Amino acid sequence: MKCDQLRTELKKRNQRMTAQRDIVLKSFIEAETDHLSADEAYRKVMEKNCRISKATVYRTVELLAGLGLLRRIVFRDGIIRYELVKKGEHHHHHVVCNRCGSVVEFPLDNLDDLEELVREKTGYTIEDHQLKFYGLCPKCQSEKKTQNNRDSETK
Amino acid sequence: MKCDQLRTELKKRNQRMTAQRDIVLKSFIEAETDHLSADEAYRKVMEKNCRISKATVYRTVELLAGLGLLRRIVFRDGIIRYELVKKGEHHHHHVVCNRCGSVVEFPLDNLDDLEELVREKTGYTIEDHQLKFYGLCPKCQSEKKTQNNRDSETK
DNA sequence: CTAGATGCAAAGGTTTTGCAGATTT
DNA sequence: AAATCTGCAAAACCTTTGCATCTAG
């Protein structure tokens, strides 16, 4: 279980397991493929009538990211979101709708050979990479189409 | 010249060429491969003792991005930065140092075939993509090494 | 002349911080 | 008991907005 992993990682650093940390972590487990910002995580926690302060949630998500339990994901809107790091998960990338902001994951082999090429060419040692695709989701494609039709009728 | 392009794009939309817009655009031309946030652009402008209000700079960078003269770039820190769009430029990606935040560009063929694959699998029509590599720049690699050595001597 | 742009200051929204009191180990 | 964590409220940030004034076309 994730909570055990959290407990272990905390112990390594002489940090403590608390009810709040457990609750925040669980909110990401429940969010599944949703990518929550610190603020969204806070709201989710509040909905379950768990009273945690906003400051604690903000502190906790960064803690969890530092421990390797969450991964920071940032799209073009600049909002810092987090997703659960799953052990043994396939590498995946993100496809984002420019209109409604919906996100789907896209599994793809690691671009390891590319990382090696980048290291050779730039001298940077590469720890990881993120690939994002931006476009229109199926729903927004059809909505846009009907809207365009309306527009041309009006003219 | 870029300013002509700006003038043309503005005219198309019945918008006006102003001294402020010229100055902001120039600050990105001078920044070269630096990626400036709106706030950094504002400071750069101030240094040249051009008095433009912050609000105007913020409005202008978004305007320029909308006109296709700047491109939004967002790294993991969530800060929205902008880079100049160069005509006929090779597609490039970004390599970011996790320690000092330095950024270098990495030319690479477009991943167009990948975009097509993503469209087939997800149903999203893809407009563009961004690939970022995160790691350590050469300078930080050596600094980290000497720091580690110091640490082990202390023990 | 007049639609559009700017500057200012105020408002809005998000994230961080200091510190007293509560909790974990 | 001691070190760590939490909650609260204030502070710090960053960005946007409303509106009077100015200006490009």
Side-chain angles (χ1 to χ4, degrees):
Chain A
M1 254 305 278
K2 279 278 155 196
C3 302
D4 298 337
Q5 194 190 338
L6 172 54
R7 193 163 241 118
T8 311
E9 288 301 320
L10 288 170
K11 190 162 281 175
K12 275 188 202 165
R13 295 156 218 237
N14 280 322
Q15 292 179 299
R16 291 169 185 177
M17 185 60 186
T18 65
Q20 290 87 335
R21 288 172 181 180
D22 187 54
I23 290 167
V24 172
L25 179 55
K26 284 213 173 75
S27 78
F28 280 92
I29 294 172
E30 285 160 18
E32 305 208 348
T33 65
D34 251 33
H35 305 81
L36 305 178
S37 66
D39 209 66
E40 287 166 340
Y42 171 68
R43 271 169 238 189
K44 243 178 103 71
V45 164
M46 295 314 277
E47 282 169 18
K48 299 194 292 184
N49 52 37
C50 303
R51 311 226 104 257
I52 307 186
S53 80
K54 209 175 232 200
T56 297
V57 175
Y58 274 81
R59 283 185 285 230
T60 302
V61 291
E62 269 306 299
L63 174 83
L64 295 176
L67 297 179
L69 290 157
L70 297 182
R71 181 186 299 122
R72 265 179 177 238
I73 301 289
V74 183
F75 303 119
R76 265 208 281 249
D77 60 10
I79 297 174
I80 297 173
R81 290 171 230 263
Y82 303 84
E83 70 177 9
L84 205 62
V85 174
K86 290 170 196 144
K87 241 188 289 192
E89 74 188 328
H90 263 232
H91 214 266
H92 67 264
H93 300 284
H94 296 94
V95 189
V96 185
C97 179
N98 284 329
R99 200 154 171 275
C100 72
S102 66
V103 179
V104 298
E105 298 184 351
F106 184 76
L108 188 71
D109 285 346
N110 244 338
L111 303 174
D112 286 340
D113 45 346
L114 208 48
E115 287 196 1
E116 174 56 20
L117 181 64
V118 172
R119 193 191 60 66
E120 280 172 25
K121 295 281 181 185
T122 66
Y124 281 55
T125 53
I126 306 303
E127 291 166 15
D128 68 335
H129 64 265
Q130 295 203 359
L131 175 56
K132 282 159 208 134
F133 296 89
Y134 294 93
L136 283 183
C137 72
K139 187 153 161 279
C140 286
Q141 286 168 44
S142 51
E143 281 177 13
K144 200 181 168 190
K145 206 175 291 173
T146 62
Q147 198 191 319
N148 286 350
N149 291 346
R150 235 197 332 279
D151 287 355
S152 53
E153 284 167 22
T154 323
K155 277 172 198 167
Chain B
M1 254 304 278
K2 280 280 155 194
C3 303
D4 298 337
Q5 195 190 336
L6 172 54
R7 194 163 241 118
T8 311
E9 288 301 321
L10 288 169
K11 190 162 281 175
K12 275 189 202 165
R13 296 158 216 236
N14 281 319
Q15 292 179 300
R16 290 171 186 175
M17 185 61 186
T18 65
Q20 289 88 335
R21 288 171 181 180
D22 188 54
I23 290 166
V24 172
L25 178 55
K26 284 216 172 75
S27 77
F28 281 91
I29 294 171
E30 285 160 19
E32 304 207 350
T33 64
D34 251 34
H35 304 80
L36 306 179
S37 66
D39 208 67
E40 287 167 340
Y42 170 68
R43 271 169 239 187
K44 243 178 106 66
V45 163
M46 295 315 278
E47 282 168 19
K48 299 194 292 185
N49 53 35
C50 302
R51 312 226 104 258
I52 307 187
S53 79
K54 207 177 235 201
T56 297
V57 175
Y58 274 81
R59 283 186 283 230
T60 303
V61 292
E62 269 305 300
L63 174 85
L64 295 175
L67 296 179
L69 290 157
L70 296 181
R71 181 186 298 121
R72 267 180 176 237
I73 301 289
V74 183
F75 303 119
R76 264 209 281 250
D77 59 9
I79 296 173
I80 296 171
R81 291 171 229 265
Y82 302 83
E83 70 176 9
L84 207 62
V85 174
K86 290 170 195 143
K87 238 188 291 190
E89 73 187 329
H90 264 232
H91 214 265
H92 67 264
H93 300 283
H94 296 94
V95 190
V96 186
C97 178
N98 284 330
R99 201 154 169 274
C100 71
S102 66
V103 179
V104 299
E105 298 184 351
F106 184 76
L108 188 71
D109 285 344
N110 244 338
L111 303 174
D112 286 340
D113 43 346
L114 209 48
E115 287 195 0
E116 175 56 19
L117 181 64
V118 171
R119 194 190 60 68
E120 280 171 26
K121 295 280 183 187
T122 65
Y124 280 55
T125 53
I126 306 303
E127 290 166 15
D128 67 334
H129 63 264
Q130 295 205 358
L131 175 55
K132 282 158 207 136
F133 296 90
Y134 294 93
L136 283 182
C137 71
K139 188 154 161 276
C140 287
Q141 286 168 46
S142 50
E143 282 177 12
K144 200 182 167 188
K145 207 174 291 173
T146 61
Q147 196 193 320
N148 286 351
N149 292 346
R150 236 199 330 280
D151 287 354
S152 53
E153 283 166 22
T154 322
K155 276 172 197 167

